[in-house]
Amino acid sequence: MSNRTGLIKLIAMLIAVGIVAYVAYQPIIHNLNLGLDLRGGVHVVMEAKERPGQKITDDTLKKTVGVLRNRVDRLGVKEPVIQTQGDRRVIIELAGVKDPNEAIRVIGKTAELQFIDENGKVWVTGRNLKDAKAGIDQEGQPKVDLTFDKEGAELFRKATKENLGKRIAIVLDKEIISQPVVRNEIPSGQAEISGGFESAKDAENLAVLLRSGALPVTLEMAQKWTVGPTLGSDSLAKSIKAGIIGLLAILIFMIGYYRLPGFLADISLVVYSMLVLGVMALGKFTLTLPGIAGFLLSIGMAVDANIIIYERLKDELRAGKTLLAAVDAGFKRAFWTIFDSNLTTLIAAVILMYFGIGPIKGFAVTLAIGIVTSMFTAVVFTRWLLKWAAESFRNPKYYGV
């Protein structure tokens, strides 16, 4: 009876794993966030430059990152990497954008808006801006409608009242983009920027910049490298090919050397791979080339854990224990060795995650997820399978002894 129960559980689990793997494969693959080295994009290092009377501090850089992130989000770029580096640099990584250079040009603008009269007096600035929306004027040309807050509306009313018949320049980053003549006093707190836009997209980009606020510092590009979509796809295809070949080699070796336990370890590796990729997809982690390396390394560590357990199992069988007793003793004796090994690697991965940036961080994140997952699949899941198998297949030859 016990033989049949164990066999039924084992077969039911194998069928369940097969069905879940088949159903979950496409959703997981389509929801993975690929880094710019796998789908193309741009990596830029921007350096903050001090303005007269202004000192760059940690708080200034944090505000700069906040404004940049706001702009990137409004432009619809998914999963950007924006973080500080040192005491005056900001790293920006944008993956999957069609025109990365244009995106960086727009995002890196200071966007300092000013309304200046003919005497050079600044009446209103972007600090009083409440909203900015792109639209089309009566002549069918792109425009940007501005709405000021209460203070800005009052300042703009005074500006238009005292400059009737004169021009007020709308200046963005010290460049005059419009210079209309004031015909009437405007108390509504609304203004319009029109003319000078080559397309509706330019007007939309300007509206995004104005809504997200001006950068607290001037940014200059220090480094930039781009990865084309074709190169990214080629890297991904080669990585997948290498991963499949490596995985097949491991699966064949495990079955050939460890026989039934090796087959069960292969099932655990399938579950392990699904869990790691599933966590990457659900957690919105970005998978990069170094991340794939971390994934493959963690597969090797998961296999190592199974090998340690199976060697312990063989020792127990050679010592004369029954199969079920050998399975229990093998897992107990191997557990702390596996735990200590994984813990030290996990500590290193956490340190890399905390201090690392870009590719190093991607490698560490994938490795850490893989280590934690391998502890479950090797110590818990494989143990279930092996105990169920031991209830049905009692000949030691099935276990490589």
Side-chain angles (χ1 to χ4, degrees), residues 1-16 384-385 387-393:
M1 185 66 184
S2 60
N3 291 348
R4 185 175 298 176
T5 303
L7 185 60
I8 291 173
K9 288 180 180 177
L10 186 61
I11 293 174
M13 181 59 75
L14 297 183
I15 293 174
W384 292 343
L385 298 183
K387 289 192 72 172
W388 294 337
E391 292 175 359
S392 306
F393 304 95

Side-chain angles (χ1 to χ4, degrees), residues 10 12 15 24 29 32 67 84 111 154 168 173-174 181 208 231 234-235 254 258 279 287 317 327 334 342 357 369 386:
L10 186 61
I15 293 174
I29 293 300
L32 279 176
V67 173
T84 58
E154 178 59 20
I168 289 183
D173 292 344
K174 300 179 181 179
V181 176
V208 167
L231 182 58
D234 187 52
S235 299
M254 291 300 291
Y258 290 100
V279 170
L287 184 63
L317 287 174
V327 169
N342 284 339
I357 59 173
I369 293 173
L386 203 54

Side-chain angles (χ1 to χ4, degrees), residues 70 74 129 131-134 204 206-213:
N70 196 7
R74 291 174 185 274
L129 196 63
D131 195 12
K133 291 181 179 178
E204 180 59 37
L206 178 58
V208 167
L209 290 178
L210 296 178
R211 284 202 301 272
S212 56

Side-chain angles (χ1 to χ4, degrees), residues 89 190 211 220 239 337 342:
R89 287 192 169 189
Q190 294 185 325
R211 284 202 301 272
E220 290 185 2
S239 299
T337 304
N342 284 339

Side-chain angles (χ1 to χ4, degrees), residues 94-105:
L94 306 177
V97 293
K98 293 180 180 178
D99 190 346
N101 294 329
E102 173 64 13
I104 289 297
R105 187 186 68 79

Side-chain angles (χ1 to χ4, degrees), residues 68-80 82 208:
L68 290 173
R69 189 173 298 281
N70 196 7
R71 291 180 180 180
V72 171
D73 290 343
R74 291 174 185 274
L75 286 174
V77 179
K78 294 182 179 179
E79 304 302 329
I82 304 174
V208 167

Side-chain angles (χ1 to χ4, degrees), residues 17 28 36 43-44 59 88 99 101 110 114 132 155 162 201 212 226 243 286 368:
V17 169
I28 288 176
L36 65 89
H43 171 102
V44 177
D59 187 58
R88 60 175 56 215
D99 190 346
N101 294 329
T110 305
Q114 295 174 314
L155 291 173
E162 296 186 18
K201 182 66 177 175
S212 56
T226 60
T286 300

